[in-house]
Amino acid sequence: MSGSSAFPPIGDYGFLSDCEVTALVAPSGNIEWLCLPRLDAPSVFGAVLDRGAGGFRLGPADISVPAARRYIPGTMVLETSWGTANGWIVVRDVLLMGPWHHEDELSNTHRRAPTDYDAEHVLLRTVRCVSGEVQVTLDCEPVFDYGRKPATWYYTDRGYHQGIAGADGVGVELKLTTDMRLGFEAGRAMARTLLKEGETRYVALSWTEHEPPHSFKEAYDRLVWTAHHWQHWLARGDFPDHPWRSFLERSALTLKGLTFAPTGALVAAATTSLPETPGGHRNWDYRYSWIRDSTFALWGLYTLGFDWEADDFFWFIADVAERDHDLQIMYGVDGERDLHEQTLDHLHGYEGARPVRIGNGAYNHRQNDVWGAILDSFYIHTNSRDGLDDRIWPILKRLVAAAIEHWHEPDRGIWEVRGEPKHFTSSKVMCWVALDRGARLARLREEPELAEEWQRVADEIHEDVCTHGITPEGVFKQHYETDALDASLLLIPLVRFLPADDPRVKATVLAIADHLTVDDLVLRYITKETDDGMTGEEGSFTICSFWLVSALVEIGELDRARRLCEKLLSFASPLGLYAEEINPVNGRHLGNFPQAFTHLALINAIIHIIRAEQQVAVSSVTPARGDRRQP
């Protein structure tokens, strides 16, 4: 990043969540992204996309670079330490969780089974002076509706300790409560105080009828409750005792934070329009739930022991699949179908990357891989149960029928290209997954005739792919009309389309590793060889690099897989997070942040390596035939 940029590097943001809204915190202590009242609603703090679109800073008066930042271990509580010439302070930021609220009435938003906890709808910031003295400033400037409507502030009956901000035509009202003394300047709420060793202050931003804390003690107690909630949640997981355990734990917390608890939907990322190319226009809104994420999400969550979250996401998918005859590739977090795309031309964009988009025009694309993703999800879910739910069977039959009807048609592929539809090989493979998993589930339900019919179509698709989707050199290709490589072909061994020891699988994985990488990191495809309807270059897609790790393990290249995984883990952000892409040259994170699919692929890759290492360890102590050593 240019040293003169006013924008922090994407990978330097901290991520907060209460499983209903998310926030990004810059190293300066400025909250630069918060959408209310849902994570896909218009922003009230949008400085990540335009420095004038609202922010909320709490920190020392005269410096903007902290001494250290971390999450309190096992939590979503961000701690920032600041050292000045005269003293040290520690700031903690958290979106509060609390006990379940709806004891006397039903929730208007929750469609999944209630738990013991719920979002408090409060962004809490505390500050403690640990030595010396430090001048602390608070500067809260919300700008509603993606930076289009400045706030108007007024005091409440709590005098200088509470203000309310609103704007005409905006349905959200913000309440700022603090033990500092607030003053208002136009659209800003400001405070300044000298903190001496042992002294504390707090500020709470709330946006519903739920009461914020009214003292530092209450604020601290609720922060501790939230921290313990996250630690207790994480303790439910099943994490291997391995040096990479911390990456799995942070990924699990991030995935939970990207889940919209009322419906169970898992969004692709917390942001919109963070650019895939610096200054470029490959800028998309990822605050929606993609059906194709379901397979990796369920596999990852079940593998780590988070069955409740996996089930909630499964039933979100089942809800929309039951409702909609034509399944879309993505939905809003409450199952919304219309995700009409528009540009916000008044916003400057992150480091000038325009346009800024909200909505996603790919929602009505034809992508034939969607049936395979959801059928594989049904299969994974069923394997975690004693049988197939009766509610799922009619949905499953309809989805298999759709795959049978459309598998031979061109589509826009896994990468949602905006060029002409093609016969993408990975889409055909996922149609095979739909029929293969459907046949397996039909056998489970003891419907042999249906299983035989579906298996026959699966075999037909398999033969078609192996005839038209492979180059003369025996390498799977992007689509039937080209010999170009595509990183989505790394899924072939992962979905068991062919055994990992098949020469064509090995040739494909190694071809991608050797020819579709920059400094070992994987590109989706070569943009000059692919009509994706866009111009310009893009960085390496981190999910594809983690797919390569898993695929290398599958074909027996464990050492190479481990080296690549170590390199990828070294590129994690200072807080253990990943954006969509990484620049292979400088390690800069690009694209929306943090990205669920990347963290899902990380879990898959690490578990692949750990299980392979365990198998190697077992085989190394198992005596060969004729060996007299004891195992």
Side-chain angles (χ1 to χ4, degrees):
M1 186 180 78
S2 169
S4 62
S5 174
F7 293 83
I10 291 171
D12 281 0
Y13 283 99
F15 170 62
L16 306 178
S17 174
D18 63 6
C19 301
E20 292 192 25
V21 301
T22 61
L24 295 188
V25 188
S28 66
N30 194 29
I31 292 175
E32 299 192 355
W33 185 246
L34 176 66
C35 300
L36 297 176
R38 290 191 338 189
L39 55 83
D40 60 346
S43 65
V44 296
F45 303 131
V48 69
L49 295 177
D50 189 300
R51 303 318 279 172
F56 177 14
R57 183 175 187 268
L58 179 68
D62 302 319
I63 65 172
S64 60
V65 178
R69 301 167 82 216
R70 65 161 190 160
Y71 285 108
I72 294 177
T75 77
M76 294 284 285
V77 181
L78 181 64
E79 182 179 272
T80 306
S81 299
W82 300 86
T84 72
N86 299 314
W88 285 78
I89 60 171
V90 175
V91 174
R92 288 175 171 172
D93 296 321
V94 62
L95 283 161
L96 289 178
M97 304 291 291
W100 179 255
H101 290 124
H102 307 280
E103 293 298 341
D104 300 323
E105 82 290 339
L106 295 178
S107 167
N108 293 323
T109 58
H110 282 75
R111 289 197 274 118
R112 304 277 76 88
T115 63
D116 297 329
Y117 51 86
D118 199 0
E120 292 276 78
H121 309 130
V122 176
L123 171 64
L124 175 66
R125 316 192 73 178
T126 67
V127 54
R128 179 187 299 271
C129 184
V130 295
S131 68
E133 60 183 32
V134 178
Q135 195 81 41
V136 174
T137 62
L138 180 159
D139 186 348
C140 181
E141 185 181 16
V143 187
F144 296 95
D145 192 23
Y146 296 112
R148 285 182 285 214
K149 295 185 177 181
T152 300
W153 288 93
Y154 64 89
Y155 292 107
T156 71
D157 57 5
R158 292 182 178 271
Y160 287 112
H161 297 295
Q162 190 174 72
I164 289 180
D168 291 341
V170 173
V172 175
E173 192 173 68
L174 304 180
K175 183 183 294 182
L176 194 67
T177 307
T178 179
D179 53 3
M180 292 181 270
R181 289 178 293 277
L182 293 172
F184 304 139
E185 298 287 348
R188 307 172 95 136
M190 306 174 70
R192 185 180 181 103
T193 188
L194 180 67
L195 241 58
K196 298 182 179 181
E197 183 173 336
E199 293 183 339
T200 58
R201 295 289 187 273
Y202 84 96
V203 56
L205 184 76
S206 55
W207 50 91
T208 68
E209 71 278 5
H210 299 298
E211 281 295 309
H214 291 295
S215 68
F216 182 86
K217 182 182 183 306
E218 184 186 353
Y220 180 76
D221 289 345
R222 289 170 73 170
L223 183 151
V224 170
W225 197 102
T226 303
H228 288 171
H229 155 74
W230 285 115
Q231 290 168 339
H232 293 157
W233 179 84
L234 196 65
R236 286 177 31 218
D238 181 15
F239 296 96
D241 185 18
H242 189 276
W244 294 341
R245 175 184 178 129
S246 63
F247 292 96
L248 294 174
E249 291 179 337
R250 182 50 52 191
S251 290
L253 286 162
T254 302
L255 292 172
K256 178 68 171 175
L258 291 170
T259 298
F260 186 64
T263 64
L266 176 67
V267 298
T271 56
T272 180
S273 300
L274 294 185
E276 297 175 9
T277 306
H281 56 268
R282 294 173 181 263
N283 315 320
W284 316 109
D285 192 346
Y286 277 9
R287 297 170 298 161
Y288 306 114
S289 191
W290 266 254
I291 296 296
R292 77 161 57 86
D293 290 5
S294 58
T295 295
F296 275 91
L298 295 188
W299 189 92
L301 291 168
Y302 283 133
T303 298
L304 295 180
F306 294 108
D307 292 12
W308 188 288
E309 286 70 26
D311 288 350
D312 279 356
F313 185 41
F314 173 82
W315 289 115
F316 169 78
I317 299 294
D319 283 348
V320 296
E322 185 176 43
R323 181 193 69 190
D324 296 347
H325 184 269
D326 294 322
L327 193 65
Q328 294 184 177
I329 67 166
M330 71 177 87
Y331 289 89
V333 295
D334 199 27
E336 295 89 350
R337 288 178 54 90
D338 186 359
L339 307 180
H340 175 71
E341 184 173 297
Q342 56 184 300
T343 62
L344 302 181
D345 296 330
H346 66 285
L347 293 178
H348 179 267
Y350 177 86
E351 289 194 335
R354 303 180 71 185
V356 173
R357 294 179 171 94
I358 57 172
N360 197 307
Y363 78 94
N364 59 5
H365 280 187
R366 165 63 60 80
Q367 293 177 23
N368 294 342
D369 64 340
V370 66
W371 302 297
I374 195 168
L375 264 296
D376 205 21
S377 300
F378 287 177
Y379 183 69
I380 292 170
H381 176 79
T382 301
N383 278 346
S384 72
R385 298 292 183 272
D386 295 329
L388 182 63
D389 193 291
D390 286 340
R391 176 189 168 191
I392 297 300
W393 182 240
I395 305 172
L396 186 151
K397 289 197 295 184
R398 177 163 51 81
L399 295 170
V400 172
I404 293 173
E405 180 182 357
H406 297 293
W407 74 263
H408 59 280
E409 299 172 358
D411 73 333
R412 296 186 184 273
I414 187 173
W415 306 126
E416 299 160 9
V417 299
R418 302 196 176 198
E420 288 299 315
K422 300 289 183 183
H423 291 278
F424 285 99
T425 303
S426 63
S427 295
K428 307 290 188 189
V429 168
M430 292 306 293
C431 285
W432 171 85
V433 170
L435 273 297
D436 175 79
R437 304 317 190 251
R440 296 186 191 197
L441 292 168
R443 294 186 196 103
L444 182 67
R445 286 194 49 105
E446 298 182 348
E447 299 203 24
E449 293 182 0
L450 203 54
E452 183 179 349
E453 176 189 344
W454 290 349
Q455 188 62 58
R456 186 169 56 251
V457 180
D459 295 342
E460 181 183 351
I461 299 172
H462 199 282
E463 182 179 359
D464 186 79
V465 171
C466 291
T467 300
H468 302 291
I470 300 179
T471 69
E473 294 75 28
V475 174
F476 283 96
K477 56 188 184 179
Q478 183 183 60
H479 60 78
Y480 287 4
E481 301 172 29
T482 183
D483 285 346
L485 292 169
D486 192 299
S488 63
L489 303 171
L490 293 167
L491 295 175
I492 286 175
L494 303 183
V495 299
R496 306 295 185 248
F497 180 78
L498 283 172
D501 59 1
D502 188 289
R504 295 165 292 184
V505 171
K506 187 169 185 177
T508 302
V509 173
L510 294 179
I512 291 171
D514 294 336
H515 303 297
L516 196 59
T517 56
V518 178
D519 290 343
D520 300 327
L521 302 190
V522 182
L523 307 174
R524 292 191 300 176
Y525 45 76
I526 303 298
T527 54
K528 294 178 181 177
E529 297 177 351
T530 300
D531 176 20
D532 62 6
M534 305 295 292
T535 59
E537 299 295 323
E538 61 183 22
S540 70
F541 262 61
T542 316
I543 181 176
C544 301
S545 297
F546 280 118
W547 283 351
L548 178 56
V549 171
S550 298
L552 286 168
V553 173
E554 291 280 345
I555 66 171
E557 296 281 346
L558 179 56
D559 288 343
R560 188 170 181 177
R562 189 186 294 111
R563 287 194 302 271
L564 176 57
C565 196
E566 289 172 343
K567 185 169 187 174
L568 290 169
L569 296 179
S570 75
F571 284 126
S573 82
L575 293 169
L577 305 174
Y578 286 87
E580 183 175 23
E581 301 180 27
I582 292 174
N583 183 318
V585 176
N586 57 21
R588 179 180 176 184
H589 288 246
L590 299 167
N592 286 304
F593 180 85
Q595 214 216 21
F597 218 174
T598 303
H599 285 274
L600 290 166
L602 178 153
I603 293 169
N604 188 290
I606 289 180
I607 295 298
H608 260 84
I609 289 178
I610 291 175
R611 290 178 175 175
E613 289 176 342
Q614 292 170 342
Q615 291 173 357
V616 170
V618 169
S619 63
S620 68
V621 299
T622 301
R625 187 182 299 275
D627 192 330
R628 299 192 178 191
R629 292 175 301 167
Q630 292 299 312

